[in-house]
């Protein structure tokens, strides 16, 4: 059984954060420094579909802070029509594993295609933003809708990233699917690269459709290691549901802030993972060590 106590305890462990290597606003260096200043004992850098922030985060890691290198992988469940996007956190995998490297590169390229199409749709409706401007905000990192949101803010059309994700904008009207990685493929790729796959915010109904529990049962059988229960986009009921499911399936449970800097209001360390759960992740990994 897991209990609330699994996510309490000594030492703060935040296993889901974004930097400027994707759609966060803190550089990887600033992220690890802020993590130490906030009093975290462990932080994971989990940018979307990239390991591009790992080296800078590792170099800037303050003594006393453990860095878990990871990524948040854009996946999709194709077992239902229309298919459902979902996010898989991969921890401590080998960043040079050729099949995984190839899939991450492919999905980053798919993000470019999708992002440019969204900008075309906006421009066709008279919105004065450009793809070059959006790429400028991404600054070489993985491009995502928050960078388009930045352009909408600059154009004076919305006041915040949250507003830019309203149904009238990027949340629905200008939301296009991207060519994500099949979730079963992603679980296998992360495991084969020595990493540990954890399903990010599996019940975040406020973000859109979520997958049924029956899929999580199948993913657990296919190598999924854990579920993220405590997350800003989960209601208390959703957190409890995820914990129950994890206990039934003997999956580990995590809690994390999903920090994105000023793109979101959540603080680093706002949600944390318990030490026992953290140890299970470290023990299951053989791709790269914690630093
Ligand atoms: P993308 O990866 O391009 O599909 O964009 C998804 C990202 O947009 C997420 O990782 C969040 O950073 C951000 N996002 C999604 N929904 C919202 C929201 N309602 N408010 C603010 N940011 C959001
Ligand atoms: Zn994001
Ligand atoms: Fe996510
Ligand atoms: Fe995230």
């Amino acid at each position: 059984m897991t209990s609330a106590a699994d996510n309490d305890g000594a030492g703060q462990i935040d296993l889901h954060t974004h930097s400027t290597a994707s759609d966060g606003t803190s550089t990887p260096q600033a992220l690890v420094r802020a993590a130490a200043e906030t009093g975290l004992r462990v932080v994971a850098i989990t940018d979307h579909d990239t390991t591009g922030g790992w080296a800078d985060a590792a170099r800037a890691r303050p003594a006393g802070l453990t860095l878990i290198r990871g990524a948040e992988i854009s996946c999709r469940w194709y077992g239902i029509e229309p298919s459902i996007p979902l996010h898989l956190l991969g921890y401590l995998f080998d960043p040079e594993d050729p099949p995984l490297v190839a899939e991450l590169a492919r999905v980053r390229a798919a993000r470019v295609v999708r992002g440019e199409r969204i900008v075309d749709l906006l421009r066709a409706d008279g919105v004065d933003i450009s793809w070059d401007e959006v790429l400028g905000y991404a600054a070489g990192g993985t491009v995502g809708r928050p960078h388009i949101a930045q352009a909408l803010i600059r154009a004076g059309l919305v006041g915040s990233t949250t507003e830019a994700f309203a149904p009238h904008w990027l949340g629905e009207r200008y939301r296009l699917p991207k060519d994500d990685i099949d979730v079963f493929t992603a679980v296998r790729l992360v495991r084969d690269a020595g990493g540990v796959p954890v399903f990010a915010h599996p019940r975040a109904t406020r973000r859109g459709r979520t997958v049924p529990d029956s899929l999580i049962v199948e993913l657990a059988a296919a190598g999924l290691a854990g579920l993220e229960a405590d997350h800003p986009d989960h209601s208390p009921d959703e957190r409890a549901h995820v914990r129950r499911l994890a206990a039934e399936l003997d999956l580990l449970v995590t809690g994390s802030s999903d920090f994105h800097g000023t793109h979101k209001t959540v603080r680093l360390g706002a949600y944390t993972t318990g030490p026992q759960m953290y140890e299970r992740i470290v023990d299951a990994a053989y791709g790269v060590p914690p630093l």
Side-chain angles (χ1 to χ4, degrees):
M1 268 299 288
T2 52
S3 71
D6 292 325
N7 278 356
D8 297 337
Q12 298 275 290
I13 301 168
D14 188 342
L15 293 181
H16 183 169
T17 72
H18 297 266
S19 77
T20 50
S22 65
D23 57 6
T25 58
S26 307
T27 61
Q29 296 93 322
L31 177 70
V32 290
R33 285 187 209 115
E37 279 160 22
T38 307
L40 290 179
R41 177 165 73 84
V42 181
V43 73
I45 182 169
T46 54
D47 280 302
H48 296 286
D49 305 314
T50 186
T51 59
W54 285 17
D56 282 342
R59 272 194 292 273
R61 180 183 64 84
L65 177 78
T66 298
L67 174 66
I68 295 291
R69 291 167 288 177
E72 184 172 22
I73 304 174
S74 300
C75 299
R76 197 165 276 271
W77 178 44
Y78 290 97
I80 194 171
E81 187 59 45
S83 59
I84 299 180
L86 62 148
H87 289 170
L88 196 72
L89 292 158
Y91 296 114
L92 300 170
F93 57 84
D94 173 3
E96 293 176 1
D97 178 75
L100 183 54
V101 167
E103 268 304 272
L104 293 179
R106 191 193 59 73
V107 83
R108 286 197 305 273
R111 284 173 162 279
V112 171
V113 171
R114 191 257 323 227
E116 205 166 0
R117 280 202 192 123
I118 293 175
V119 169
D120 285 347
L121 286 179
L122 286 159
R123 287 176 62 84
D125 286 347
V127 173
D128 188 20
I129 63 171
S130 75
W131 180 240
D132 274 354
E133 178 187 8
V134 172
L135 281 182
Y137 296 136
T142 303
V143 69
R145 283 180 291 162
H147 302 117
I148 303 175
Q150 255 177 291
L152 294 173
I153 292 169
R154 191 276 308 152
L157 293 162
V158 296
S160 66
T161 309
T162 308
E163 256 183 68
F165 275 89
H168 183 65
W169 295 107
L170 303 174
E172 202 175 299
R173 181 159 172 196
Y174 297 97
R175 179 178 193 166
L176 293 180
K178 59 188 182 312
D179 199 0
D180 299 308
I181 306 176
D182 171 83
V183 65
F184 288 94
T185 303
V187 165
R188 184 176 44 76
L189 285 172
V190 169
R191 283 288 194 185
D192 287 353
V196 182
V198 172
F199 193 161
H201 45 77
R203 279 275 143 184
T205 49
R206 67 184 66 162
R207 286 177 173 224
R209 288 179 307 146
T210 56
V211 301
D213 288 352
S214 57
L215 177 76
I216 296 178
V217 173
E218 284 181 47
L219 288 171
L224 184 70
L227 302 176
E228 189 178 57
D230 293 337
H231 181 280
D233 289 344
H234 280 163
S235 70
D237 280 353
E238 288 167 345
R239 286 171 208 173
H241 180 90
V242 172
R243 283 180 176 284
R244 267 197 309 276
L245 190 60
E248 279 168 27
L249 298 173
D250 194 28
L251 294 173
L252 59 89
V253 287
T254 64
S256 329
S257 67
D258 201 358
F259 178 71
H260 277 74
T262 57
H263 277 163
K264 292 191 180 178
T265 52
V266 73
R267 292 174 296 105
L268 259 177
Y271 301 92
T272 55
T273 296
Q276 307 92 323
M277 296 295 170
Y278 166 67
E279 290 303 332
R280 277 174 69 175
I281 292 174
V282 171
D283 289 348
Y286 60 89
V288 290
L291 292 178

